[in-house]
Amino acid sequence: MSQDIEHAQTQQQQAVVADAPVFVQACPGAGKTHVIVSRHLQRPTGSLRGGRALVSFTRTARDQMKTRCITEGRPDLAQFPHYIGTLDGFIWQFLVSPHLQTPQSAQLLESWAQLPKAKVALGKGTIALSAFTFTFDPDTEREDVAAPRENSSAATAVSKSMYSWARWKQAVLECRDQWRERGYFTGHEARLEALRNVRTDPVGTVVPLRSRFTEVIVDEAQDCSITDLAILDELRINGIPLVVVADPDQAIYGWRQADPARLLSFRGTFGTRITLTGNRRSAPPICALAATLRTSNRRPDISVVRSSGPAVHLIPTKFGKAGKTTHSSTGQDLLDLVLGLADHHREPENPNPSVLVLARKHALLPPALRRGEPDSNTITRLARAHQCLQSSSTKVTELEQACLLAEQVLLGYWYPGQVGSVTRICRAVGLSPAVLRRHAYAFLQALPEPSREWAGEVNARLKGWRPPVGAAPSRGKGLLRGKVASVGQQQQRQSAARLTTVHQAKGDEADAVCVLLSDNELIDGWITGSATSAEAQEELRVLYVAVTRARRLLILAAPEYRIDAIRDFLVRNQVPTRVT
């Protein structure tokens, strides 16, 4: 065993045994979940505070931690008094829900899109509440509404109305407050409520946590918004032993108010700080390239499980319209070329290497894979949900969203007088959520292939679908209108690779990863070191997340006229490189 590997293992063990509070900075592939669960398995809990909270940002990480406890023969560590869940769930269950006083049972929504009837009305115009983004400054406790994203239908509606943006913001906040008073919260409102509770009543809010948990472990803390960090800091100040695990170089949610500078400031409040540099995912060439994307001068991470790997491949690429990408010289389809390279460099024991193709934006991907843009009409989103069900590369979270949309469509037709979320409507009409989910899955499965005139076929299926007892369709209410736009068809060869955006792939990994690198400013900022603005540095972190998804083979597809400059830069930084 090399000294580097021994050093990486020592770092992991230090993170497992260190007393809280402690800040653990972990590189990509460092085995954060392994460290967190090992800490949970090995460290005893206090005699008075018998539990430990393991908090993550995703359900996938939550499920992995629960499964590890069970497979290690300790299912009790996944049960009360312990807590294993998401940050949203932790905030809601311990910092918000016990302190609410609403006229009916409150509900936490993933987004306002779960309430199709939540619309902002101003004059003759209406815009879905989910089209607006709320911001909050925890220092001044001032809330604001961000303008709708450029070229969206919401931005168009606002610009064409007779009302000022200030008046629209007022209407948005009033609409949101009305739904909140009825007991509906998204993660944003829950965080505001939690921070207010911790600051105004720290004893009533924090003491129950101190009595139950010997420590609270927060994973992927680089994804925390400035409000999340303010909440965690208040918990720290009030005596909650925190273990915070993060990689500031993977902070890519600036649009969601994540702030690496605020995270680094928060890290400075911890007396014990441990860094994990052992990468258990990527081959050495990938680790070497990733180091060139960091704002710090930290040396490349140690590839713990791979002593070697193929060179980073550069593909001179022509980026055409509608996501069409081809090799600049031969005209070969990029995806065919990537699949061929992945097969050529596969390991003998892995005859079917996994392949991931990543882009910064949906616009660079083939239209068939642009699922669920927020401005799509319902019939288009249902068509994409149907295709999602048919695809072999669909993730569990995507399947859940597809079924949720089908549930909303069915409820809208069966119970046209009901308002609210799926859960609340089911409760009001006495319909089992499990029964509704079975209906939704079967309904999606039974739909024909999408077409431009698909709405009539869907409505015919709605009318002919056997409804549950008590359903009361009313004429044409709840039927779908409009035409399907930009759905396309999945080609058979695409089932061999997953194509998605970097943000959606965060947390994933694959044997071979191809990154579509068409942004000239990003390339310049990377190879010249001129990316100094906050926006430019976040773009580098997005690229960093993309390349570190690769286990064995990394491919960069860039415009032909930039290939030589990228190759020379990588060679200077001792990154094995090959132009294809």
Side-chain angles (χ1 to χ4, degrees), residues 407 422-424 426-427 430-440:
E407 290 173 356
V422 167
T423 302
R424 182 163 289 179
C426 284
R427 189 185 302 127
L431 177 62
S432 165
V435 170
L436 176 63
R437 177 53 59 97
R438 289 195 292 271
H439 272 288

Side-chain angles (χ1 to χ4, degrees), residues 378-417:
T378 302
I379 193 68
T380 298
R381 291 191 292 119
L382 188 67
R384 291 177 180 142
H386 170 73
Q387 286 196 334
C388 179
L389 199 68
Q390 308 303 318
S391 172
S392 61
S393 61
T394 298
K395 299 177 69 176
V396 174
T397 53
E398 294 171 333
L399 183 60
E400 289 178 350
Q401 290 300 313
C403 286
L404 176 61
L405 177 62
E407 290 173 356
Q408 292 171 343
V409 170
L410 290 172
L411 290 178
Y413 178 68
W414 288 340
Y415 309 100

Side-chain angles (χ1 to χ4, degrees), residues 222-243:
Q222 75 277 354
D223 294 340
C224 284
S225 67
I226 57 177
T227 306
D228 293 331
L229 292 178
I231 293 171
L232 293 177
D233 198 38
E234 291 290 341
L235 296 182
R236 179 192 63 81
I237 292 170
N238 285 280
I240 299 297
L242 291 180
V243 178

